Amino acid sequence: MLSYVILEWNWRTVTLAILTLSLSVTALLHLLKHHRDHRSAAFWVALILLSPLVGACLYGLLGINFVRRKGKDYRGSIGPAYRDPLPACPNFPDADPVTAERDCSLAITLDRISRFHFTPGNQVEPLINGDEAMPAMIQAIQSARTSITLSSYIFEAHHIGADFVQALTAAHQRGVQVRVMVDDAGTRYSWPPVTRILKKNGVPVRRFMPNRFILRLLTMNLRNHKKILVVDGHTGFTGGMNIREGNMISRSPSHPVRDLHFRVTGPVVAQMQRVFAEDWYFCSHEVLDGPDWFPEIPAAGETHALGIVDGPDEDLEVMPVALFAALNAARERVSIMTPYFLPTTILMAALKLCATRGIQVTIITPAKNNIPFVAWASRTLYPELLESGCRIFESHAPFDHSKLLLVDNTWSCIGSTNWDPRSLRLNFEFNLACRSPSLATRLQTIFEERLKECTEVTLTTLQSTPLSHRLRSGFARLFIPIL
């Protein structure tokens, strides 16, 4: 009997050892062949070697990009998405010759990075918090005549979300073509999910990547983080704001969230519509085309704007390159506002180089984050930035979810992308690069108003941090590649 137990135990041990070795070798081979980020690769190699079975399983769940979307069929039906790689410089009539040459260089760079061209004649209006943004969006939906497209990461079904459901349902019932898309993970923030309610009301709605069980685990990190609303093909809204009651600051919600959103009119709205249409085709195989979706759009303002799409497919790492180009073009000032500040090594180097060149670099990020682990890791990056001359400020409650990059009182980058690995590498994102002195001045004013409510972080502040907190942050830093 004892010998039988020993044999059975040995057999299980050998089986487990073979399984562990097989999984570990497979994970390492895949990692060495496919992984492009050396910091992330080093993290996974260490984890797999130190904990072979657990590390290999975690790599399979969190470290592999299982999505390779190809939009050739759709793009063939609406025209090529990637165009002339040598765009002409936009005309910036308000710039002096030196500034015009510098702006032209950045415009051409961003034009080559993005799949779209810069478009003149746009109007971009900042909307502060849900108190300004949500009513404006609902009013636009209520006034729709032909079409509505709405994409959101989180869309709660209750409170302000219920107002959206009512407006979308009413629009559908009066004959407006309505399409709604919500990320699968984002539907789980309220119950019942908004997709179920909209479907019951007859509104065409899709969940982005609605996988279940194991498939959902494999794609849990690949989220459609875009926020796009386009009404009648010519009025758009985009930025970083989800459809949640927490954004309605004036209503004193239990978890208030500050944020910025933007109303957009002019030709660049067609780019926003095309981005939604590509995602909708991916989810439903329905082609959105024709004047109801893509009407002729007249000029509406003086802003030159360009849509930048980023995601873990054919648009991989587009946004980090665009941010690097914008930082490299800075000559006077860089202002950054982000809820999650974990920039890549290259962006860290660009920020330090900006400060070394004498450029005023100011960063605002929350003092108390809704994801504490991210905040702990973020603090470990502060010293090298402060030593190079960057200034870092932490904003106090309510939590600030705003995303903003301002360069030289001229350029603005707005949209859904955070300065963290998840947003820069894993999520599907959409942003607008805008060249407009008046817009940049308005946003810089908002930035400086927020700055007055912040506390500056200094090297002295960091040195006085309790040892337990520094150890905690140091541990969190080990996981930056997958945060």
Side-chain angles (χ1 to χ4, degrees), residues 183-194:
D183 184 80
D184 184 63
T187 63
R188 303 172 193 273
Y189 282 79
S190 66
W191 186 265
V194 71

Side-chain angles (χ1 to χ4, degrees), residues 15-29:
T15 302
L16 181 61
I18 293 174
L19 176 64
T20 299
L21 181 63
S22 300
L23 289 175
S24 299
V25 170
T26 302
L28 287 171
L29 290 175

Side-chain angles (χ1 to χ4, degrees), residues 8 41 46 50 56 71 92 105 136 167 190 209 229 231 253 260 281 292 300 306 325 398 453:
E8 183 178 6
L50 292 174
F92 300 132
S105 177
S190 66
M209 295 179 62
L229 169 64
V231 175
L260 284 174
Y281 180 79
D292 286 348
L306 167 77
E453 305 171 7

Side-chain angles (χ1 to χ4, degrees), residues 438-451:
S438 61
L439 174 62
T441 299
R442 170 74 177 114
L443 293 176
Q444 186 66 39
T445 300
I446 294 173
F447 184 89
E448 291 174 359
E449 289 174 354
R450 298 279 176 92
L451 206 59

